[in-house]
Amino acid sequence: MYIWFTIIAGLAILPVILKTLLDPYFGQDCSYMFKALKLGIRMAKYKKKKPFYSILDCFLDSVKKHPNKTFLHFEGASYTYIEVDKQSNKVARALQTFAKLKEGDTVALFLGNDPCYVWTWMGLAKLGCAAALLNFNIRSKSLLHCFSCCGAKVIIAAAEMKEALEEVLPTLKLQGISVYLLSEECDVEGIQPLAKHIAQASDEPLSADLRADITIRSPALYIYTSGTTGLPKAALVTHERVWAASFIQVVSGVTSEDVLYINLPLYHSAGFLVGLTGAIERGITVVLKRKFSASQFWEDCRKHNVTVIQYIGETMRYLCNTPKKENEKDHKVRIAIGNGVRSDIWTDFLKRFGDIAIRELYAATEGNIGFINYTSKIGVVGRVNFLHRRMFPYTLIKFDIEKEEPVRNSDGLCIEAAKGESGLLVGKITKFSPFVGYAGNNQQTEKKRLRDVLQKGDLYFNTGDLLRIDEQNFVQFQDRVGDTFRWKGENVATTEVADILTMVDCIEEANVYGVKVEGHEGRIGMAAVKIREGREFDGANTFSQVTSYLPAYARPRFIRIQSSFEMTGTFKMKKVSLVEEGFNPATVHDPLYFLSEKTYIPLTEEIYTSINNRKIKL
Ligand SMILES: *[C@@H]1O[C@H](CO)[C@@H](O)[C@H](O)[C@H]1NC(C)=O
Ligand SMILES: *[C@@H]1O[C@H](CO)[C@@H](O)[C@H](O)[C@H]1NC(C)=O
């Protein structure tokens, strides 16, 4: 009886098995699933372990195992595992004494890429404190906003950030914030220099009791994202998240022998989580760079025997744009991990720089769903995998770009996008794929939640990204939706830029969006503005406003003067047609301006041509 049953059941699923076996990617699918399962088991172990085993404990184990292995190379200096450990002990002790920090406190870091970023964060982790990673490009209003939304009472900044701090100091003082500068001296009242205290502190290990109450669900970091609406938000990154992100290197095939090159900013999850914590998980050597340089890139890789690099679409393109050289394939790089590279650049890159396995991934800092390209298919971010989808249920739903909302049927439910059709990626919020939200911002957290997606009462995380799944189950990234665009690897929130623009006297209203430029990744900022009655557009004033309040990547490079704005049915300003019309003075009949060195100047056909043939650098 039983035997019959299994045979019949077996026959019934035979077509499924055959189909899977015939799939050319079956082997890779399995190997990925196997790795994922192993990591799942490891995570489950960490969850149960008491006291909790964090990425810091993993680092401390490496220190025991190979104290004299180089952990960091930076601008000609190198630091071993034990040296970084000791340095972080000193930082922790200085902060314990002077800033009275204790378990559960949050501290904002306002630093550029530098080894002290690593040991300052580690020092905080040793005290059981969470670190908020401020983007060092932000200033004034934005800086204050980012700082206050993580609930920190202390800010630690690099010496070169002194002026940026002075600008916001009166407000920080009012809020009773302690401000520390990593310098020997500081002549500004209210900013305390910390370097001497660190130098004089003992480098003896600190007791793990100091962080005994930290669990896998405690906040480890706050990382800022521009999400899809409003000012930047502090995404809460729990210790569980840190572990999960650090596994990306494992899944990508990085081993303990590899050398990783980090040239992305440490305040983003790519640099900090995928790069730094991933390197700690593997116990490897990191070559840290202050910032990306296309001309030094391969030199650095050769000099340090780099085997793994990180990229974003832009950096790949810059590398492909460098003049060709003889020895381009002469390096040891074998894996590249990153996101946002387009197929044409991807192909170009491999042709020029040799056989490098590109691990393109898709993930949002705060999101609950991610993909990684684990097959050798060009131009995709990942693949629909049975196990992955079971553990992290997600779907693509039809999206109305004009109304900026999902399409719903007569029952009020969303409609799944067909194969090959682009749709909004949403990930079901479950115990295994939680969405912890943004610090101190329930309203924004709520906005990223989408209800009644496939069934009444269900709950999904809205990624704000359009993706496409093709016939062969490969996942491709299409575009961002809503109120952000990406430029130079940074997300820009249009409402934040609009707020800054409308502070200019002559501007009554602003509608900000991103436009495509030939030969560039992402979209560059553009604003349609309505001028106040009886006024004229004041280029110089607008220029000084945007340059003093916005980081370079967020400034609108083009301005289009309109006498009125078109609105959608729900009273949002229409953007889609503006985005499509772009900034070509031959086809756009409104007055156009271009942000040049000192002011906004009228955008002529000549300027337009120079931008397109890249005589003018953007
Ligand atoms: C790089 O590798 C070569 C050969 O494997 C070795 O001779 C050299 O010392 C290595 N350089 C560094 C900085 O590790
Ligand atoms: C992702 O695609 C590239 C492109 O060919 C390939 O070289 C790489 O090996 C793929 N990733 C993985 C994990 O295999």
Side-chain angles (χ1 to χ4, degrees):
M1 203 26 207
Y2 178 70
I3 238 181
W4 281 112
F5 175 74
T6 49
I7 289 174
I8 293 168
L11 280 179
I13 62 164
L14 196 61
V16 182
I17 296 180
L18 269 179
K19 185 163 172 271
T20 330
L21 282 176
L22 289 176
D23 188 322
Y25 298 98
F26 180 65
Q28 288 171 22
D29 282 347
C30 280
S31 124
Y32 169 78
M33 282 200 260
F34 184 64
K35 276 188 195 161
L37 267 179
K38 266 196 351 205
L39 292 172
I41 293 169
R42 230 174 101 188
M43 184 85 103
K45 251 188 354 214
Y46 292 157
K47 265 186 203 170
K48 281 204 215 107
K49 205 161 165 184
K50 284 206 175 94
F52 166 60
Y53 185 79
S54 71
I55 195 82
L56 170 68
D57 297 303
C58 176
F59 174 78
L60 295 175
D61 280 344
S62 288
V63 174
K64 275 190 218 132
K65 215 156 68 194
H66 42 72
N68 299 317
K69 177 171 178 173
T70 303
F71 179 37
L72 295 172
H73 282 293
F74 181 75
E75 298 185 347
S78 45
Y79 308 87
T80 62
Y81 269 79
I82 184 96
E83 282 170 339
V84 172
D85 182 35
K86 287 192 167 165
Q87 194 58 32
S88 70
N89 291 340
K90 287 158 90 73
V91 174
R93 287 179 185 279
L95 289 171
Q96 203 180 18
T97 316
F98 292 97
K100 301 278 177 289
L101 289 181
K102 52 176 197 329
E103 189 168 10
D105 289 342
T106 301
V107 174
L109 296 180
F110 194 36
L111 315 166
N113 280 16
D114 185 292
C116 76
Y117 204 119
V118 180
W119 54 66
T120 308
W121 159 66
M122 244 177 225
L124 291 172
K126 286 180 174 177
L127 297 174
C129 298
L133 314 180
L134 295 174
N135 176 333
F136 61 77
N137 293 299
I138 57 169
R139 296 290 180 271
S140 64
K141 204 178 124 193
S142 233
L143 173 57
L144 280 174
H145 164 80
C146 286
F147 177 75
S148 61
C149 67
C150 68
K153 287 277 168 277
V154 176
I155 181 167
I156 302 176
E160 65 268 23
M161 298 299 175
K162 194 176 100 179
E163 277 167 26
L165 285 178
E166 272 185 278
E167 197 183 339
V168 295
L169 198 57
T171 316
L172 294 180
K173 272 186 184 161
L174 274 182
Q175 298 171 352
I177 308 297
S178 316
V179 184
Y180 293 94
L181 203 64
L182 293 172
S183 65
E184 296 282 318
E185 316 272 340
C186 183
D187 52 4
V188 182
E189 144 105 44
I191 302 183
Q192 307 173 57
L194 201 60
K196 271 189 197 151
H197 298 311
I198 294 174
Q200 286 160 8
S202 146
D203 64 8
E204 284 301 301
L206 289 94
S207 159
D209 291 346
L210 291 171
R211 47 181 190 276
D213 291 336
I214 300 295
T215 72
I216 198 158
R217 303 239 183 264
S218 309
L221 301 162
Y222 293 91
I223 295 184
Y224 293 86
T225 81
S226 278
T228 29
T229 47
L231 286 163
K233 296 178 284 286
L236 191 165
V237 181
T238 60
H239 284 277
E240 181 171 20
R241 265 287 145 112
V242 173
W243 271 123
S246 77
F247 290 160
I248 288 173
Q249 289 197 23
V250 187
V251 176
S252 307
V254 178
T255 73
S256 61
E257 307 299 313
D258 279 302
V259 176
L260 172 73
Y261 188 49
I262 302 185
N263 52 58
L264 302 175
L266 287 174
Y267 58 77
H268 274 331
S269 28
F272 199 96
L273 292 178
V274 180
L276 182 64
T277 68
I280 293 174
E281 192 280 335
R282 301 276 73 188
I284 60 178
T285 300
V286 171
V287 179
L288 182 66
K289 198 76 183 155
R290 197 171 288 282
K291 60 181 217 206
F292 171 80
S293 153
S295 59
Q296 291 162 16
F297 193 92
W298 295 110
E299 255 341 286
D300 284 341
C301 289
R302 279 189 277 271
K303 188 166 148 207
H304 297 290
N305 290 340
V306 168
T307 54
V308 183
I309 57 173
Q310 282 190 286
Y311 68 87
I312 50 174
E314 288 80 351
T315 57
M316 284 291 208
R317 185 183 282 273
Y318 297 147
L319 290 173
C320 289
N321 284 346
T322 54
K324 285 207 166 70
K325 284 197 187 144
E326 285 278 295
N327 59 349
E328 290 188 334
K329 290 191 173 139
D330 165 24
H331 58 73
K332 298 204 169 75
V333 177
R334 56 181 201 96
I335 297 178
I337 306 174
N339 67 288
V341 59
R342 292 224 308 258
S343 324
D344 51 334
I345 301 279
W346 191 323
T347 314
D348 238 27
F349 183 85
L350 293 177
K351 226 187 271 159
R352 271 187 67 177
F353 304 109
D355 191 17
I356 298 173
I358 299 187
R359 309 291 197 240
E360 172 84 0
L361 55 99
Y362 165 87
T365 309
E366 75 278 36
N368 64 346
I369 178 78
F371 298 104
I372 181 159
N373 143 34
Y374 55 85
T375 62
S376 38
K377 171 98 173 177
I378 290 186
V380 303
V381 294
R383 194 165 148 71
V384 178
N385 180 295
F386 162 76
L387 182 76
H388 178 243
R389 199 164 191 174
R390 226 346 133 71
M391 281 166 68
F392 307 102
Y394 60 88
T395 188
L396 302 184
I397 54 175
K398 285 183 196 281
F399 190 77
D400 183 331
I401 303 182
E402 189 69 52
K403 289 193 195 141
E404 293 189 354
E405 58 188 37
V407 179
R408 292 193 181 258
N409 63 18
S410 54
D411 296 331
L413 297 175
C414 298
I415 307 164
E416 285 185 282
K419 279 234 159 128
E421 187 187 9
S422 94
L424 179 74
L425 174 69
V426 294
K428 193 163 189 177
I429 300 179
T430 67
K431 211 173 103 202
F432 292 109
S433 52
F435 165 54
V436 282
Y438 307 108
N441 202 331
N442 276 334
Q443 197 193 347
Q444 292 295 353
T445 303
E446 199 44 47
K447 270 197 179 158
K448 296 294 279 182
R449 293 196 171 123
L450 201 61
R451 288 166 208 279
D452 303 337
V453 175
L454 298 181
Q455 281 166 11
K456 283 275 174 224
D458 62 10
L459 183 61
Y460 281 72
F461 171 74
N462 177 353
T463 61
D465 290 322
L466 295 179
L467 279 79
R468 200 173 80 98
I469 297 178
D470 71 9
E471 293 297 333
Q472 286 181 300
N473 277 333
F474 284 105
V475 186
Q476 280 154 334
F477 180 79
Q478 305 287 104
D479 207 352
R480 300 222 85 179
V481 296
D483 297 334
T484 36
F485 56 87
R486 268 175 86 76
W487 180 245
K488 307 238 162 172
E490 300 278 352
N491 286 331
V492 181
T494 56
T495 43
E496 190 186 349
V497 179
D499 281 351
I500 299 290
L501 279 174
T502 45
M503 282 157 64
V504 180
D505 277 346
C506 64
I507 296 178
E508 182 172 321
E509 271 187 288
N511 184 6
V512 178
Y513 49 95
V515 289
K516 285 221 188 281
V517 192
E518 184 62 32
H520 289 271
E521 303 300 320
R523 296 169 186 274
I524 194 168
M526 178 157 184
V529 301
K530 206 163 110 187
I531 303 299
R532 274 183 209 287
E533 255 199 59
R535 301 290 298 263
E536 266 176 29
F537 177 62
D538 181 344
N541 207 348
T542 311
F543 176 91
S544 89
Q545 174 79 7
V546 302
T547 47
S548 45
Y549 286 99
L550 292 170
Y553 57 77
R555 295 173 192 158
R557 292 302 292 268
F558 304 108
I559 286 191
R560 170 174 182 169
I561 313 287
Q562 289 196 297
S563 47
S564 66
F565 288 157
E566 252 188 291
M567 297 300 213
T568 67
T570 48
F571 300 104
K572 281 198 219 150
M573 293 185 227
K574 278 199 184 174
K575 292 190 192 203
V576 177
S577 51
L578 291 172
V579 170
E580 274 162 18
E581 284 160 26
F583 60 98
N584 183 353
T587 53
V588 175
H589 298 298
D590 297 323
L592 292 174
Y593 289 86
F594 173 62
L595 178 95
S596 82
E597 266 135 53
K598 294 204 182 78
T599 179
Y600 277 94
I601 54 174
L603 175 63
T604 59
E605 299 262 354
E606 255 172 282
I607 297 181
Y608 180 76
T609 316
S610 308
I611 290 171
N612 278 334
N613 58 27
R614 286 187 236 158
K615 283 215 188 88
I616 295 184
K617 286 235 177 333
L618 294 174

